[in-house]
PDB file of all heavy atoms in Angstrom:
ATOM      1  N   THR M   1      30.278  27.739  -1.118  1.00 90.00           N
ATOM      2  CA  THR M   1      29.070  28.499  -1.402  1.00 90.00           C
ATOM      3  C   THR M   1      29.152  29.004  -2.849  1.00 90.00           C
ATOM      4  O   THR M   1      30.162  29.563  -3.259  1.00 90.00           O
ATOM      5  CB  THR M   1      28.947  29.702  -0.456  1.00 90.00           C
ATOM      6  OG1 THR M   1      28.853  29.207   0.879  1.00 90.00           O
ATOM      7  CG2 THR M   1      27.715  30.530  -0.770  1.00 90.00           C
ATOM      8  N   ILE M   2      28.093  28.706  -3.610  1.00 89.00           N
ATOM      9  CA  ILE M   2      28.014  29.140  -5.004  1.00 89.00           C
ATOM     10  C   ILE M   2      26.845  30.091  -5.113  1.00 89.00           C
ATOM     11  O   ILE M   2      25.731  29.754  -4.685  1.00 89.00           O
ATOM     12  CB  ILE M   2      27.824  27.953  -5.950  1.00 89.00           C
ATOM     13  CG1 ILE M   2      28.988  26.964  -5.792  1.00 89.00           C
ATOM     14  CG2 ILE M   2      27.700  28.402  -7.403  1.00 89.00           C
ATOM     15  CD1 ILE M   2      28.819  25.673  -6.538  1.00 89.00           C
ATOM     16  N   MET M   3      27.073  31.292  -5.671  1.00 90.00           N
ATOM     17  CA  MET M   3      26.038  32.292  -5.839  1.00 90.00           C
ATOM     18  C   MET M   3      25.951  32.707  -7.293  1.00 90.00           C
ATOM     19  O   MET M   3      26.982  32.867  -7.953  1.00 90.00           O
ATOM     20  CB  MET M   3      26.333  33.507  -4.969  1.00 90.00           C
ATOM     21  CG  MET M   3      26.314  33.185  -3.478  1.00 90.00           C
ATOM     22  SD  MET M   3      26.818  34.581  -2.466  1.00 90.00           S
ATOM     23  CE  MET M   3      28.582  34.496  -2.680  1.00 90.00           C
ATOM     24  N   SER M   4      24.721  32.866  -7.786  1.00 88.00           N
ATOM     25  CA  SER M   4      24.526  33.281  -9.165  1.00 88.00           C
ATOM     26  C   SER M   4      23.221  34.049  -9.317  1.00 88.00           C
ATOM     27  O   SER M   4      22.181  33.586  -8.909  1.00 88.00           O
ATOM     28  CB  SER M   4      24.506  32.078 -10.096  1.00 88.00           C
ATOM     29  OG  SER M   4      24.188  32.496 -11.424  1.00 88.00           O
ATOM     30  N   PRO M   5      23.290  35.248  -9.925  1.00 90.00           N
ATOM     31  CA  PRO M   5      22.042  35.975 -10.209  1.00 90.00           C
ATOM     32  C   PRO M   5      21.272  35.325 -11.361  1.00 90.00           C
ATOM     33  O   PRO M   5      20.104  35.638 -11.579  1.00 90.00           O
ATOM     34  CB  PRO M   5      22.536  37.378 -10.585  1.00 90.00           C
ATOM     35  CG  PRO M   5      23.911  37.176 -11.093  1.00 90.00           C
ATOM     36  CD  PRO M   5      24.482  36.005 -10.322  1.00 90.00           C
ATOM     37  N   ASP M   6      21.899  34.405 -12.096  1.00 84.00           N
ATOM     38  CA  ASP M   6      21.263  33.746 -13.230  1.00 84.00           C
ATOM     39  C   ASP M   6      20.572  32.443 -12.852  1.00 84.00           C
ATOM     40  O   ASP M   6      19.846  31.886 -13.676  1.00 84.00           O
ATOM     41  CB  ASP M   6      22.299  33.463 -14.318  1.00 84.00           C
ATOM     42  CG  ASP M   6      22.991  34.755 -14.791  1.00 84.00           C
ATOM     43  OD1 ASP M   6      22.256  35.675 -15.180  1.00 84.00           O
ATOM     44  OD2 ASP M   6      24.226  34.826 -14.719  1.00 84.00           O
ATOM     45  N   ALA M   7      20.794  31.943 -11.660  1.00 86.00           N
ATOM     46  CA  ALA M   7      20.162  30.702 -11.205  1.00 86.00           C
ATOM     47  C   ALA M   7      18.861  31.015 -10.479  1.00 86.00           C
ATOM     48  O   ALA M   7      18.620  32.179 -10.100  1.00 86.00           O
ATOM     49  CB  ALA M   7      21.101  29.932 -10.279  1.00 86.00           C
ATOM     50  N   THR M   8      18.041  30.005 -10.264  1.00 90.00           N
ATOM     51  CA  THR M   8      16.800  30.184  -9.527  1.00 90.00           C
ATOM     52  C   THR M   8      16.791  29.240  -8.324  1.00 90.00           C
ATOM     53  O   THR M   8      17.363  28.136  -8.369  1.00 90.00           O
ATOM     54  CB  THR M   8      15.571  29.888 -10.402  1.00 90.00           C
ATOM     55  OG1 THR M   8      15.686  28.562 -10.931  1.00 90.00           O
ATOM     56  CG2 THR M   8      15.463  30.861 -11.552  1.00 90.00           C
ATOM     57  N   VAL M   9      16.148  29.694  -7.267  1.00 94.00           N
ATOM     58  CA  VAL M   9      15.988  28.863  -6.064  1.00 94.00           C
ATOM     59  C   VAL M   9      15.256  27.575  -6.454  1.00 94.00           C
ATOM     60  O   VAL M   9      14.289  27.603  -7.201  1.00 94.00           O
ATOM     61  CB  VAL M   9      15.233  29.628  -4.969  1.00 94.00           C
ATOM     62  CG1 VAL M   9      14.902  28.699  -3.801  1.00 94.00           C
ATOM     63  CG2 VAL M   9      16.074  30.818  -4.486  1.00 94.00           C
ATOM     64  N   GLY M  10      15.774  26.439  -6.021  1.00 93.00           N
ATOM     65  CA  GLY M  10      15.206  25.145  -6.345  1.00 93.00           C
ATOM     66  C   GLY M  10      15.940  24.442  -7.475  1.00 93.00           C
ATOM     67  O   GLY M  10      15.765  23.244  -7.690  1.00 93.00           O
ATOM     68  N   GLU M  11      16.772  25.156  -8.203  1.00 91.00           N
ATOM     69  CA  GLU M  11      17.533  24.557  -9.297  1.00 91.00           C
ATOM     70  C   GLU M  11      18.666  23.702  -8.712  1.00 91.00           C
ATOM     71  O   GLU M  11      19.403  24.135  -7.858  1.00 91.00           O
ATOM     72  CB  GLU M  11      18.121  25.674 -10.177  1.00 91.00           C
ATOM     73  CG  GLU M  11      18.801  25.175 -11.421  1.00 91.00           C
ATOM     74  CD  GLU M  11      19.199  26.320 -12.353  1.00 91.00           C
ATOM     75  OE1 GLU M  11      19.047  27.501 -11.971  1.00 91.00           O
ATOM     76  OE2 GLU M  11      19.636  26.004 -13.452  1.00 91.00           O
ATOM     77  N   GLY M  12      18.761  22.476  -9.195  1.00 91.00           N
ATOM     78  CA  GLY M  12      19.758  21.543  -8.699  1.00 91.00           C
ATOM     79  C   GLY M  12      20.865  21.311  -9.725  1.00 91.00           C
ATOM     80  O   GLY M  12      20.731  21.631 -10.893  1.00 91.00           O
ATOM     81  N   PHE M  13      21.961  20.744  -9.252  1.00 91.00           N
ATOM     82  CA  PHE M  13      23.096  20.447 -10.107  1.00 91.00           C
ATOM     83  C   PHE M  13      23.952  19.375  -9.448  1.00 91.00           C
ATOM     84  O   PHE M  13      23.771  19.041  -8.274  1.00 91.00           O
ATOM     85  CB  PHE M  13      23.948  21.712 -10.355  1.00 91.00           C
ATOM     86  CG  PHE M  13      24.417  22.419  -9.100  1.00 91.00           C
ATOM     87  CD1 PHE M  13      25.643  22.112  -8.521  1.00 91.00           C
ATOM     88  CD2 PHE M  13      23.616  23.352  -8.471  1.00 91.00           C
ATOM     89  CE1 PHE M  13      26.073  22.730  -7.381  1.00 91.00           C
ATOM     90  CE2 PHE M  13      24.037  23.988  -7.313  1.00 91.00           C
ATOM     91  CZ  PHE M  13      25.271  23.692  -6.761  1.00 91.00           C
ATOM     92  N   LEU M  14      24.874  18.796 -10.225  1.00 93.00           N
ATOM     93  CA  LEU M  14      25.821  17.830  -9.707  1.00 93.00           C
ATOM     94  C   LEU M  14      27.171  18.543  -9.611  1.00 93.00           C
ATOM     95  O   LEU M  14      27.632  19.132 -10.599  1.00 93.00           O
ATOM     96  CB  LEU M  14      25.943  16.620 -10.636  1.00 93.00           C
ATOM     97  CG  LEU M  14      27.005  15.592 -10.231  1.00 93.00           C
ATOM     98  CD1 LEU M  14      26.568  14.867  -8.950  1.00 93.00           C
ATOM     99  CD2 LEU M  14      27.228  14.601 -11.350  1.00 93.00           C
ATOM    100  N   LEU M  15      27.795  18.501  -8.446  1.00 93.00           N
ATOM    101  CA  LEU M  15      29.077  19.139  -8.203  1.00 93.00           C
ATOM    102  C   LEU M  15      30.158  18.059  -8.190  1.00 93.00           C
ATOM    103  O   LEU M  15      29.970  16.994  -7.577  1.00 93.00           O
ATOM    104  CB  LEU M  15      29.077  19.873  -6.877  1.00 93.00           C
ATOM    105  CG  LEU M  15      30.371  20.596  -6.514  1.00 93.00           C
ATOM    106  CD1 LEU M  15      30.541  21.834  -7.397  1.00 93.00           C
ATOM    107  CD2 LEU M  15      30.361  20.989  -5.052  1.00 93.00           C
ATOM    108  N   GLU M  16      31.272  18.312  -8.866  1.00 93.00           N
ATOM    109  CA  GLU M  16      32.394  17.377  -8.841  1.00 93.00           C
ATOM    110  C   GLU M  16      33.678  18.147  -8.595  1.00 93.00           C
ATOM    111  O   GLU M  16      33.916  19.204  -9.213  1.00 93.00           O
ATOM    112  CB  GLU M  16      32.507  16.620 -10.162  1.00 93.00           C
ATOM    113  CG  GLU M  16      33.703  15.661 -10.194  1.00 93.00           C
ATOM    114  CD  GLU M  16      33.801  14.881 -11.472  1.00 93.00           C
ATOM    115  OE1 GLU M  16      33.106  13.848 -11.559  1.00 93.00           O
ATOM    116  OE2 GLU M  16      34.541  15.321 -12.380  1.00 93.00           O
ATOM    117  N   ILE M  17      34.510  17.647  -7.705  1.00 93.00           N
ATOM    118  CA  ILE M  17      35.838  18.201  -7.470  1.00 93.00           C
ATOM    119  C   ILE M  17      36.828  17.127  -7.930  1.00 93.00           C
ATOM    120  O   ILE M  17      36.729  15.976  -7.537  1.00 93.00           O
ATOM    121  CB  ILE M  17      36.040  18.544  -5.984  1.00 93.00           C
ATOM    122  CG1 ILE M  17      35.094  19.670  -5.599  1.00 93.00           C
ATOM    123  CG2 ILE M  17      37.501  18.948  -5.723  1.00 93.00           C
ATOM    124  CD1 ILE M  17      35.148  20.080  -4.143  1.00 93.00           C
ATOM    125  N   HIS M  18      37.766  17.533  -8.797  1.00 93.00           N
ATOM    126  CA  HIS M  18      38.742  16.610  -9.384  1.00 93.00           C
ATOM    127  C   HIS M  18      40.134  17.135  -9.113  1.00 93.00           C
ATOM    128  O   HIS M  18      40.447  18.282  -9.450  1.00 93.00           O
ATOM    129  CB  HIS M  18      38.480  16.475 -10.887  1.00 93.00           C
ATOM    130  CG  HIS M  18      39.500  15.668 -11.607  1.00 93.00           C
ATOM    131  ND1 HIS M  18      40.048  16.071 -12.789  1.00 93.00           N
ATOM    132  CD2 HIS M  18      40.052  14.456 -11.326  1.00 93.00           C
ATOM    133  CE1 HIS M  18      40.918  15.154 -13.198  1.00 93.00           C
ATOM    134  NE2 HIS M  18      40.942  14.168 -12.335  1.00 93.00           N
ATOM    135  N   ASP M  19      40.977  16.301  -8.502  1.00 93.00           N
ATOM    136  CA  ASP M  19      42.380  16.621  -8.313  1.00 93.00           C
ATOM    137  C   ASP M  19      43.163  15.953  -9.434  1.00 93.00           C
ATOM    138  O   ASP M  19      43.416  14.751  -9.386  1.00 93.00           O
ATOM    139  CB  ASP M  19      42.856  16.120  -6.948  1.00 93.00           C
ATOM    140  CG  ASP M  19      44.298  16.467  -6.628  1.00 93.00           C
ATOM    141  OD1 ASP M  19      45.035  16.860  -7.554  1.00 93.00           O
ATOM    142  OD2 ASP M  19      44.674  16.348  -5.450  1.00 93.00           O
ATOM    143  N   PRO M  20      43.515  16.693 -10.516  1.00 93.00           N
ATOM    144  CA  PRO M  20      44.153  16.080 -11.664  1.00 93.00           C
ATOM    145  C   PRO M  20      45.521  15.440 -11.335  1.00 93.00           C
ATOM    146  O   PRO M  20      45.946  14.496 -12.001  1.00 93.00           O
ATOM    147  CB  PRO M  20      44.366  17.219 -12.660  1.00 93.00           C
ATOM    148  CG  PRO M  20      43.616  18.370 -12.138  1.00 93.00           C
ATOM    149  CD  PRO M  20      43.307  18.118 -10.711  1.00 93.00           C
ATOM    150  N   ASN M  21      46.178  15.920 -10.293  1.00 92.00           N
ATOM    151  CA  ASN M  21      47.494  15.377  -9.928  1.00 92.00           C
ATOM    152  C   ASN M  21      47.377  13.944  -9.384  1.00 92.00           C
ATOM    153  O   ASN M  21      48.226  13.107  -9.664  1.00 92.00           O
ATOM    154  CB  ASN M  21      48.199  16.268  -8.907  1.00 92.00           C
ATOM    155  CG  ASN M  21      48.534  17.617  -9.519  1.00 92.00           C
ATOM    156  OD1 ASN M  21      49.269  17.691 -10.492  1.00 92.00           O
ATOM    157  ND2 ASN M  21      47.968  18.667  -8.979  1.00 92.00           N
ATOM    158  N   SER M  22      46.344  13.660  -8.614  1.00 92.00           N
ATOM    159  CA  SER M  22      46.154  12.326  -8.049  1.00 92.00           C
ATOM    160  C   SER M  22      45.123  11.502  -8.829  1.00 92.00           C
ATOM    161  O   SER M  22      45.082  10.302  -8.713  1.00 92.00           O
ATOM    162  CB  SER M  22      45.677  12.417  -6.583  1.00 92.00           C
ATOM    163  OG  SER M  22      44.381  12.992  -6.534  1.00 92.00           O
ATOM    164  N   GLY M  23      44.277  12.203  -9.615  1.00 94.00           N
ATOM    165  CA  GLY M  23      43.187  11.531 -10.306  1.00 94.00           C
ATOM    166  C   GLY M  23      41.964  11.338  -9.453  1.00 94.00           C
ATOM    167  O   GLY M  23      40.944  10.833  -9.913  1.00 94.00           O
ATOM    168  N   ASN M  24      42.006  11.733  -8.185  1.00 95.00           N
ATOM    169  CA  ASN M  24      40.879  11.548  -7.269  1.00 95.00           C
ATOM    170  C   ASN M  24      39.737  12.505  -7.601  1.00 95.00           C
ATOM    171  O   ASN M  24      39.966  13.650  -8.000  1.00 95.00           O
ATOM    172  CB  ASN M  24      41.311  11.765  -5.826  1.00 95.00           C
ATOM    173  CG  ASN M  24      42.276  10.702  -5.341  1.00 95.00           C
ATOM    174  OD1 ASN M  24      42.320   9.587  -5.866  1.00 95.00           O
ATOM    175  ND2 ASN M  24      43.072  11.014  -4.348  1.00 95.00           N
ATOM    176  N   LYS M  25      38.505  11.993  -7.390  1.00 96.00           N
ATOM    177  CA  LYS M  25      37.291  12.789  -7.642  1.00 96.00           C
ATOM    178  C   LYS M  25      36.295  12.583  -6.519  1.00 96.00           C
ATOM    179  O   LYS M  25      36.211  11.498  -5.913  1.00 96.00           O
ATOM    180  CB  LYS M  25      36.608  12.382  -8.934  1.00 96.00           C
ATOM    181  CG  LYS M  25      37.408  12.652 -10.180  1.00 96.00           C
ATOM    182  CD  LYS M  25      36.639  12.212 -11.428  1.00 96.00           C
ATOM    183  CE  LYS M  25      37.453  12.438 -12.678  1.00 96.00           C
ATOM    184  NZ  LYS M  25      36.710  12.065 -13.884  1.00 96.00           N
ATOM    185  N   TRP M  26      35.524  13.620  -6.245  1.00 96.00           N
ATOM    186  CA  TRP M  26      34.418  13.572  -5.295  1.00 96.00           C
ATOM    187  C   TRP M  26      33.220  14.232  -5.963  1.00 96.00           C
ATOM    188  O   TRP M  26      33.362  15.231  -6.647  1.00 96.00           O
ATOM    189  CB  TRP M  26      34.770  14.314  -4.018  1.00 96.00           C
ATOM    190  CG  TRP M  26      35.919  13.711  -3.280  1.00 96.00           C
ATOM    191  CD1 TRP M  26      35.852  12.804  -2.266  1.00 96.00           C
ATOM    192  CD2 TRP M  26      37.316  13.949  -3.496  1.00 96.00           C
ATOM    193  NE1 TRP M  26      37.112  12.475  -1.835  1.00 96.00           N
ATOM    194  CE2 TRP M  26      38.031  13.157  -2.586  1.00 96.00           C
ATOM    195  CE3 TRP M  26      38.032  14.753  -4.388  1.00 96.00           C
ATOM    196  CZ2 TRP M  26      39.419  13.139  -2.540  1.00 96.00           C
ATOM    197  CZ3 TRP M  26      39.416  14.733  -4.337  1.00 96.00           C
ATOM    198  CH2 TRP M  26      40.098  13.943  -3.402  1.00 96.00           C
ATOM    199  N   GLN M  27      32.033  13.670  -5.759  1.00 96.00           N
ATOM    200  CA  GLN M  27      30.797  14.195  -6.369  1.00 96.00           C
ATOM    201  C   GLN M  27      29.685  14.245  -5.346  1.00 96.00           C
ATOM    202  O   GLN M  27      29.665  13.500  -4.373  1.00 96.00           O
ATOM    203  CB  GLN M  27      30.326  13.288  -7.493  1.00 96.00           C
ATOM    204  CG  GLN M  27      31.219  13.190  -8.680  1.00 96.00           C
ATOM    205  CD  GLN M  27      30.641  12.255  -9.738  1.00 96.00           C
ATOM    206  OE1 GLN M  27      29.761  11.441  -9.456  1.00 96.00           O
ATOM    207  NE2 GLN M  27      31.144  12.377 -10.954  1.00 96.00           N
ATOM    208  N   GLY M  28      28.721  15.093  -5.658  1.00 95.00           N
ATOM    209  CA  GLY M  28      27.524  15.164  -4.833  1.00 95.00           C
ATOM    210  C   GLY M  28      26.531  16.168  -5.403  1.00 95.00           C
ATOM    211  O   GLY M  28      26.900  17.006  -6.233  1.00 95.00           O
ATOM    212  N   PRO M  29      25.298  16.061  -4.958  1.00 94.00           N
ATOM    213  CA  PRO M  29      24.275  17.001  -5.448  1.00 94.00           C
ATOM    214  C   PRO M  29      24.382  18.342  -4.757  1.00 94.00           C
ATOM    215  O   PRO M  29      24.816  18.451  -3.606  1.00 94.00           O
ATOM    216  CB  PRO M  29      22.973  16.289  -5.061  1.00 94.00           C
ATOM    217  CG  PRO M  29      23.308  15.478  -3.843  1.00 94.00           C
ATOM    218  CD  PRO M  29      24.766  15.048  -4.046  1.00 94.00           C
ATOM    219  N   GLY M  30      24.004  19.347  -5.496  1.00 93.00           N
ATOM    220  CA  GLY M  30      23.902  20.694  -4.960  1.00 93.00           C
ATOM    221  C   GLY M  30      22.575  21.298  -5.371  1.00 93.00           C
ATOM    222  O   GLY M  30      21.954  20.827  -6.342  1.00 93.00           O
ATOM    223  N   SER M  31      22.109  22.273  -4.638  1.00 94.00           N
ATOM    224  CA  SER M  31      20.841  22.903  -4.959  1.00 94.00           C
ATOM    225  C   SER M  31      20.873  24.345  -4.480  1.00 94.00           C
ATOM    226  O   SER M  31      21.356  24.661  -3.391  1.00 94.00           O
ATOM    227  CB  SER M  31      19.693  22.166  -4.258  1.00 94.00           C
ATOM    228  OG  SER M  31      18.466  22.801  -4.529  1.00 94.00           O
ATOM    229  N   PHE M  32      20.377  25.246  -5.347  1.00 94.00           N
ATOM    230  CA  PHE M  32      20.210  26.628  -4.945  1.00 94.00           C
ATOM    231  C   PHE M  32      18.977  26.700  -4.040  1.00 94.00           C
ATOM    232  O   PHE M  32      17.861  26.499  -4.498  1.00 94.00           O
ATOM    233  CB  PHE M  32      20.050  27.538  -6.176  1.00 94.00           C
ATOM    234  CG  PHE M  32      21.316  27.640  -6.973  1.00 94.00           C
ATOM    235  CD1 PHE M  32      21.489  26.911  -8.137  1.00 94.00           C
ATOM    236  CD2 PHE M  32      22.350  28.470  -6.572  1.00 94.00           C
ATOM    237  CE1 PHE M  32      22.653  26.993  -8.890  1.00 94.00           C
ATOM    238  CE2 PHE M  32      23.531  28.572  -7.310  1.00 94.00           C
ATOM    239  CZ  PHE M  32      23.678  27.835  -8.456  1.00 94.00           C
ATOM    240  N   SER M  33      19.217  26.922  -2.754  1.00 94.00           N
ATOM    241  CA  SER M  33      18.110  26.811  -1.790  1.00 94.00           C
ATOM    242  C   SER M  33      17.752  28.118  -1.113  1.00 94.00           C
ATOM    243  O   SER M  33      16.835  28.164  -0.281  1.00 94.00           O
ATOM    244  CB  SER M  33      18.484  25.785  -0.723  1.00 94.00           C
ATOM    245  OG  SER M  33      19.695  26.161  -0.070  1.00 94.00           O
ATOM    246  N   ASP M  34      18.462  29.188  -1.435  1.00 93.00           N
ATOM    247  CA  ASP M  34      18.214  30.464  -0.773  1.00 93.00           C
ATOM    248  C   ASP M  34      18.497  31.572  -1.763  1.00 93.00           C
ATOM    249  O   ASP M  34      19.113  31.359  -2.804  1.00 93.00           O
ATOM    250  CB  ASP M  34      19.156  30.566   0.452  1.00 93.00           C
ATOM    251  CG  ASP M  34      18.786  31.700   1.392  1.00 93.00           C
ATOM    252  OD1 ASP M  34      17.657  32.238   1.280  1.00 93.00           O
ATOM    253  OD2 ASP M  34      19.629  32.064   2.241  1.00 93.00           O
ATOM    254  N   GLU M  35      18.052  32.783  -1.431  1.00 95.00           N
ATOM    255  CA  GLU M  35      18.359  33.948  -2.278  1.00 95.00           C
ATOM    256  C   GLU M  35      18.875  35.054  -1.383  1.00 95.00           C
ATOM    257  O   GLU M  35      18.305  35.324  -0.317  1.00 95.00           O
ATOM    258  CB  GLU M  35      17.131  34.417  -3.037  1.00 95.00           C
ATOM    259  CG  GLU M  35      17.457  35.539  -4.014  1.00 95.00           C
ATOM    260  CD  GLU M  35      16.280  35.921  -4.888  1.00 95.00           C
ATOM    261  OE1 GLU M  35      15.485  35.053  -5.226  1.00 95.00           O
ATOM    262  OE2 GLU M  35      16.198  37.103  -5.260  1.00 95.00           O
ATOM    263  N   GLN M  36      19.973  35.690  -1.798  1.00 93.00           N
ATOM    264  CA  GLN M  36      20.550  36.803  -1.074  1.00 93.00           C
ATOM    265  C   GLN M  36      20.963  37.878  -2.066  1.00 93.00           C
ATOM    266  O   GLN M  36      21.681  37.606  -3.017  1.00 93.00           O
ATOM    267  CB  GLN M  36      21.779  36.359  -0.266  1.00 93.00           C
ATOM    268  CG  GLN M  36      21.475  35.353   0.827  1.00 93.00           C
ATOM    269  CD  GLN M  36      22.750  34.857   1.508  1.00 93.00           C
ATOM    270  OE1 GLN M  36      23.844  35.318   1.224  1.00 93.00           O
ATOM    271  NE2 GLN M  36      22.576  33.903   2.380  1.00 93.00           N
ATOM    272  N   ALA M  37      20.494  39.079  -1.853  1.00 91.00           N
ATOM    273  CA  ALA M  37      20.862  40.234  -2.665  1.00 91.00           C
ATOM    274  C   ALA M  37      20.707  39.963  -4.165  1.00 91.00           C
ATOM    275  O   ALA M  37      21.545  40.315  -4.972  1.00 91.00           O
ATOM    276  CB  ALA M  37      22.298  40.670  -2.352  1.00 91.00           C
ATOM    277  N   GLY M  38      19.619  39.299  -4.534  1.00 92.00           N
ATOM    278  CA  GLY M  38      19.328  39.048  -5.942  1.00 92.00           C
ATOM    279  C   GLY M  38      20.037  37.860  -6.560  1.00 92.00           C
ATOM    280  O   GLY M  38      19.920  37.646  -7.773  1.00 92.00           O
ATOM    281  N   SER M  39      20.762  37.092  -5.775  1.00 93.00           N
ATOM    282  CA  SER M  39      21.461  35.900  -6.288  1.00 93.00           C
ATOM    283  C   SER M  39      20.950  34.655  -5.583  1.00 93.00           C
ATOM    284  O   SER M  39      20.703  34.668  -4.375  1.00 93.00           O
ATOM    285  CB  SER M  39      22.973  35.994  -6.023  1.00 93.00           C
ATOM    286  OG  SER M  39      23.553  36.977  -6.838  1.00 93.00           O
ATOM    287  N   ALA M  40      20.780  33.574  -6.363  1.00 94.00           N
ATOM    288  CA  ALA M  40      20.455  32.279  -5.776  1.00 94.00           C
ATOM    289  C   ALA M  40      21.737  31.742  -5.133  1.00 94.00           C
ATOM    290  O   ALA M  40      22.851  31.942  -5.629  1.00 94.00           O
ATOM    291  CB  ALA M  40      19.974  31.323  -6.850  1.00 94.00           C
ATOM    292  N   VAL M  41      21.577  31.082  -3.981  1.00 95.00           N
ATOM    293  CA  VAL M  41      22.716  30.624  -3.187  1.00 95.00           C
ATOM    294  C   VAL M  41      22.613  29.131  -2.914  1.00 95.00           C
ATOM    295  O   VAL M  41      21.538  28.629  -2.540  1.00 95.00           O
ATOM    296  CB  VAL M  41      22.779  31.385  -1.837  1.00 95.00           C
ATOM    297  CG1 VAL M  41      23.938  30.887  -0.991  1.00 95.00           C
ATOM    298  CG2 VAL M  41      22.875  32.881  -2.070  1.00 95.00           C
ATOM    299  N   ALA M  42      23.735  28.430  -3.143  1.00 94.00           N
ATOM    300  CA  ALA M  42      23.844  27.006  -2.791  1.00 94.00           C
ATOM    301  C   ALA M  42      24.997  26.845  -1.836  1.00 94.00           C
ATOM    302  O   ALA M  42      26.112  27.319  -2.113  1.00 94.00           O
ATOM    303  CB  ALA M  42      24.067  26.173  -4.047  1.00 94.00           C
ATOM    304  N   ASN M  43      24.764  26.210  -0.702  1.00 94.00           N
ATOM    305  CA  ASN M  43      25.809  25.900   0.269  1.00 94.00           C
ATOM    306  C   ASN M  43      26.046  24.406   0.243  1.00 94.00           C
ATOM    307  O   ASN M  43      25.121  23.640   0.528  1.00 94.00           O
ATOM    308  CB  ASN M  43      25.413  26.352   1.675  1.00 94.00           C
ATOM    309  CG  ASN M  43      25.337  27.863   1.777  1.00 94.00           C
ATOM    310  OD1 ASN M  43      26.294  28.553   1.503  1.00 94.00           O
ATOM    311  ND2 ASN M  43      24.175  28.366   2.161  1.00 94.00           N
ATOM    312  N   ILE M  44      27.267  23.974  -0.065  1.00 93.00           N
ATOM    313  CA  ILE M  44      27.581  22.550  -0.169  1.00 93.00           C
ATOM    314  C   ILE M  44      28.673  22.216   0.832  1.00 93.00           C
ATOM    315  O   ILE M  44      29.833  22.583   0.647  1.00 93.00           O
ATOM    316  CB  ILE M  44      28.048  22.165  -1.603  1.00 93.00           C
ATOM    317  CG1 ILE M  44      26.965  22.475  -2.622  1.00 93.00           C
ATOM    318  CG2 ILE M  44      28.397  20.695  -1.664  1.00 93.00           C
ATOM    319  CD1 ILE M  44      27.235  23.647  -3.435  1.00 93.00           C
ATOM    320  N   PRO M  45      28.325  21.494   1.917  1.00 93.00           N
ATOM    321  CA  PRO M  45      29.355  21.023   2.840  1.00 93.00           C
ATOM    322  C   PRO M  45      30.223  20.009   2.104  1.00 93.00           C
ATOM    323  O   PRO M  45      29.709  19.047   1.539  1.00 93.00           O
ATOM    324  CB  PRO M  45      28.580  20.367   3.978  1.00 93.00           C
ATOM    325  CG  PRO M  45      27.160  20.812   3.814  1.00 93.00           C
ATOM    326  CD  PRO M  45      26.985  21.147   2.371  1.00 93.00           C
ATOM    327  N   LEU M  46      31.534  20.222   2.075  1.00 91.00           N
ATOM    328  CA  LEU M  46      32.402  19.340   1.306  1.00 91.00           C
ATOM    329  C   LEU M  46      32.453  17.916   1.866  1.00 91.00           C
ATOM    330  O   LEU M  46      32.734  16.973   1.135  1.00 91.00           O
ATOM    331  CB  LEU M  46      33.803  19.944   1.178  1.00 91.00           C
ATOM    332  CG  LEU M  46      33.859  21.266   0.421  1.00 91.00           C
ATOM    333  CD1 LEU M  46      35.297  21.740   0.274  1.00 91.00           C
ATOM    334  CD2 LEU M  46      33.178  21.141  -0.942  1.00 91.00           C
TER     335      LEU M  46
END
C-alpha cells in the first residue's frame, strides 16, 4: 500500500521491485484509486 498526500486519485505509475543480489525484477502498473485521511492510496497485490 502506497499513500501520499501529494498524489491524486486516478494518477497511475509503474512499480518495479528489484532484488540486486539476484538481479531479478518484477514490474506492474499501480494507480491511486482511493483517498483516506487526505492521502491518495494505491493498493498493489504483489
Side-chain angles (χ1 to χ4, degrees):
T1 298
I2 301 172
M3 296 174 283
S4 175
D6 301 306
T8 57
V9 172
E11 186 172 7
F13 55 92
L14 176 70
L15 181 72
E16 178 178 277
I17 295 177
H18 175 226
D19 183 345
N21 294 300
S22 66
N24 293 336
K25 295 180 182 182
W26 297 265
Q27 294 180 342
S31 178
F32 291 101
S33 58
D34 193 15
E35 186 174 327
Q36 295 175 5
S39 289
V41 178
N43 292 303
I44 300 106
L46 296 184

